[in-house]
């Protein structure tokens, strides 16, 4: 069983003691920004994609049909990329503050936000690639689940209604 490197642990606790106010402030501001700015943006994006449907609303099986439609898949990738990109930005800001502490520099929340803001488009693009690849990897498994579902769904199946 490996021994605990006490000097590393002591150094990490020292860095944390020095930066925890910046980390807490940054995390709270990121959460507030997510609620105030990102939630309405995602709602607007979803509303725009739902405008392509007949009623503008989806229920039950229509959700699955919309998700399998090219517009629905586009919606999943774009909305997922925005949400995941925002999460990447939140993590990036916190990591900048932490790495600054490890290197002995003081990185304020404003400096970290400015730095991550410059790379926001790249973070969203990276998130879009991740979502698209995740859908490609999951597609055969989702198709198999759908095939099994259709195979066992009877015309008068009580669960159909």
């Amino acid at each position: 069983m490996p021994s605990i490197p006490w000097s590393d642990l002591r150094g990490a606790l020292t860095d944390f003691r020095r930066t925890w106010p910046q980390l807490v402030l940054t995390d709270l501001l990121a959460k507030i920004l997510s609620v105030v700015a990102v939630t309405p943006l995602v709602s607007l994006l979803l509303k725009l994609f739902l405008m392509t449907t007949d009623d503008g609303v989806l229920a039950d099986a229509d959700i699955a049909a919309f998700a399998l439609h090219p517009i629905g898949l586009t919606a999943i990738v774009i909305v997922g990329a925005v949400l995941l990109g925002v999460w990447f930005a939140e993590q990036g800001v916190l990591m900048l503050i932490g790495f600054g502490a490890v290197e002995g520099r003081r990185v304020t929340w404003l400096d970290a936000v400015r730095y991550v803001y410059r790379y926001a488009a790249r973070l969203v693009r990276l998130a879009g690639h991740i979502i698209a690849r995740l859908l490609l990897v999951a597609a055969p498994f989702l198709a198999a689940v759908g095939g099994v579902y259709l195979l066992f769904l009877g015309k008068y199946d009580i669960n159909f209604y």
Side-chain angles (χ1 to χ4, degrees):
M1 187 168 177
S3 64
I4 298 173
W6 292 107
S7 62
D8 291 342
L9 183 60
R10 215 171 308 124
L13 289 174
T14 303
D15 291 340
F16 178 72
R17 194 175 323 116
R18 207 173 52 233
T19 59
W20 76 265
Q22 289 293 327
L23 292 170
V24 170
L25 178 65
T26 304
D27 187 53
L28 287 175
L29 289 174
K31 302 290 189 248
I32 290 169
L33 181 65
S34 292
V35 169
V36 171
V38 176
T39 302
L41 175 67
V42 169
S43 298
L44 180 65
L45 283 172
L46 286 174
K47 193 66 174 168
L48 288 173
F49 282 114
L50 288 177
M51 286 174 51
T52 62
T53 64
D54 295 332
D55 298 337
V57 294
L58 298 174
D60 300 334
D62 293 336
I63 296 171
F66 179 74
L68 294 174
H69 191 271
I71 293 175
L73 286 172
T74 304
I76 290 171
V77 171
I78 290 174
V79 171
V82 168
L83 290 173
L84 194 58
V86 167
W87 185 73
F88 285 169
E90 289 178 22
Q91 296 304 308
V93 170
L94 293 172
M95 288 174 64
L96 277 169
I97 293 170
F99 283 130
V102 168
E103 293 176 350
R105 293 182 292 120
R106 185 176 186 273
V107 179
T108 65
W109 66 271
L110 190 57
D111 294 334
V113 168
R114 284 182 187 153
Y115 184 82
V116 169
Y117 179 74
R118 287 189 299 218
Y119 296 99
R122 291 181 183 177
L123 290 172
V124 172
R125 193 171 34 242
L126 172 66
H129 288 291
I130 290 172
I131 296 291
R133 288 180 183 185
L134 181 65
L135 287 173
L136 287 174
V137 168
F141 300 103
L142 294 174
V145 168
V148 169
Y149 175 76
L150 292 175
L151 180 69
F152 290 114
L153 179 67
K155 184 176 179 182
Y156 301 105
D157 189 356
I158 187 112
N159 295 320
F160 179 73
Y161 302 102

